[in-house]
Amino acid sequence: MTNAEDRRLPLDGLKVLELGQLIAGPFATKLLGEFGADVVKIEPPGSGDPLRRWRMIEDGTSLWWHVQTRNKRSVSMDLRTREGQDLVRRLATEADVLVENFRPGTLESWGLGWDELSAINPGLIMVRVSGYGQTGPYRDKPGFGVIGEAMGGLRYLTGHPDQPSVRVGVSIGDSLSALYAVIGTLLALQERHRSGQGQVVDIALYESVFAMMESLLPEYDASGEVRQPSGSALPGITPSNAYRTRSGDYVLIAGNGDSIFKRLMQVIERPDLAEDSALAHNDGRARQAERIDSAIEAWTLERDRDDILTRLDAARVPAGYPYTAADIAQDPHYLAREMIQSLTRPNGKPLKVPGVLPKLSATPGRIGNGGPALGQHTDEVLDELGIDQATREKLRQAGII
């Protein structure tokens, strides 16, 4: 039987140079690294990626760091200096993919733009993640994930009517952009297999969010209707909502399939609704959403959460409840699917982290090392470039590495 450590991964041999920081670009390279890519992360000497100091800190390093930068090699290098820029050019000569998420024009100001790097490495794929993309009237504006979520249409829809919009509790705009960056990388690699040529993958935060907005735009174009925030319901899809229970918490019930709706109505002892021809299909139910939701909540308010879920599971009605981190950590299905794994922190303590996606049957990804110390692999990578020790010491004394 092949040892997991010896098993070949889909992206073994792929060299990725990361010039990004914080979330979107580094999340994309994290995904590539989990499937075998050799990710060399460039960080500013002394301070490193600001993510090292975000959220909960232990021993001077964010716990998030061990998720976002696992399987990467950290090289400290000042990209604002001529010597640092020269080193990046040498690294880019041998790289397959370069991922960056600076404001458009930043790499060009350092002589590290697409024209310069593709001239020395025609097969290079440059993945560029920014708030608004590399073109257009907004390209030079600063953009973070929350602004992309707002412009992309998501922020307007979150929350309850007549209340300020709320944000999703994670950096969803950045994460969606990272997923599109990985998709773009794999597509560009496929094209390079045919043509031998690299290309630019241009990812904008707002576009990554906008792409998830389903029929938001067609509905407006066809009818002038602007979709509004709807709290826990899903407008036009009925029933799909959160319902209060006797114990004061909530259950989520998705009974919007035609046959599922009938089974749900039987469970809540409303055969009159199950057999009402006006409610047989979703469009009819959507017109009477308030009536249906009231009937469901009248039933859930008489029962505790676990009893509700047991009854609905038996009737094959999709139902659940909002999981907390504590729920996730001990859920048997998460554990059985290996979505909760452990790595060892520098202090020797284990740390639970999310598992790897997507799941491949023959060549699954892996979690190797946690987040590296700042500059941990600088000498190793400079050795690979053939930089002698004397030159290296000069660069170190000058604060360039």
Side-chain angles (χ1 to χ4, degrees), residues 65-380:
W65 183 254
H66 297 294
V67 177
Q68 183 80 323
T69 57
R70 59 196 188 196
N71 302 316
K72 298 182 186 180
R73 296 196 287 169
S74 171
V75 173
S76 60
M77 190 176 297
D78 189 345
L79 300 183
R80 298 167 300 179
T81 66
R82 180 180 57 79
E83 294 85 353
Q85 294 157 9
D86 287 342
L87 290 172
V88 166
R89 289 188 193 93
R90 294 182 64 171
L91 288 168
T93 300
E94 300 179 1
D96 297 291
V97 179
L98 184 151
V99 178
E100 63 99 0
N101 62 341
F102 295 110
R103 194 184 303 185
T106 300
L107 287 189
E108 282 75 9
S109 71
W110 294 336
L112 300 174
W114 167 249
D115 290 341
E116 292 86 357
L117 296 186
S118 63
I120 60 176
N121 181 358
L124 180 68
I125 294 164
M126 179 178 279
V127 183
R128 316 196 74 169
V129 185
S130 62
Y132 302 95
Q134 301 297 312
T135 60
Y138 299 168
R139 75 180 288 270
D140 295 324
K141 294 177 63 172
F144 263 32
V146 64
I147 307 304
E149 292 160 25
M151 185 176 173
L154 177 63
R155 186 68 177 261
Y156 185 78
L157 294 181
T158 53
H160 292 267
D162 303 319
Q163 295 183 17
S165 66
V166 298
R167 72 171 299 162
V168 178
V170 294
S171 305
I172 191 70
D174 291 285
S175 301
L176 288 172
S177 297
L179 293 176
Y180 276 108
V182 171
I183 294 170
T185 299
L186 299 179
L187 293 172
L189 285 169
Q190 178 66 16
E191 169 56 26
R192 196 179 70 175
H193 289 323
R194 292 196 292 239
S195 67
Q197 296 297 307
Q199 60 183 296
V200 173
V201 178
D202 182 0
I203 303 294
L205 294 178
Y206 86 94
E207 290 171 350
S208 300
V209 174
F210 174 62
M212 297 290 105
M213 289 297 99
E214 300 175 348
S215 59
L216 183 78
L217 181 62
E219 289 169 5
Y220 170 73
D221 185 55
S223 68
E225 179 179 343
V226 175
R227 188 184 296 188
Q228 299 296 315
S230 57
S232 59
L234 186 59
I237 310 296
T238 304
S240 182
N241 212 333
Y243 304 92
R244 291 175 295 167
T245 74
R246 182 169 62 184
S247 47
D249 47 16
Y250 287 83
V251 292
L252 305 177
I253 301 174
N256 45 285
D258 293 348
S259 60
I260 296 173
F261 173 73
K262 284 192 172 185
R263 295 198 298 271
L264 172 59
M265 293 302 101
Q266 295 294 343
V267 171
I268 70 169
E269 300 175 351
R270 291 297 303 269
D272 58 314
L273 298 180
E275 300 306 322
D276 187 338
S277 61
L279 305 179
H281 303 294
N282 180 72
D283 56 344
R285 293 192 297 272
R287 288 190 287 269
Q288 300 191 49
E290 186 174 344
R291 175 190 178 200
I292 294 170
D293 282 340
S294 296
I296 296 171
E297 190 161 84
W299 180 78
T300 60
L301 280 171
E302 296 178 348
R303 293 167 175 80
D304 294 330
R305 186 186 73 188
D306 290 347
D307 178 41
I308 293 168
L309 295 178
T310 298
R311 291 169 183 258
L312 294 179
D313 281 348
R316 294 177 292 114
V317 174
Y321 64 94
Y323 272 36
T324 66
D327 295 321
I328 290 171
Q330 57 194 355
D331 186 89
H333 195 77
Y334 268 89
L335 296 171
R337 297 271 299 170
E338 298 183 339
M339 280 309 299
I340 297 175
Q341 298 190 26
S342 290
L343 52 76
T344 303
R345 287 172 271 184
N347 60 14
K349 296 179 181 179
L351 182 68
K352 289 182 178 179
V353 295
V356 177
L357 288 176
K359 295 183 180 297
L360 303 184
S361 62
T363 55
R366 55 89 173 94
I367 295 176
N369 301 320
L374 176 59
Q376 179 177 335
H377 304 95
T378 301
D379 284 325
E380 179 178 294

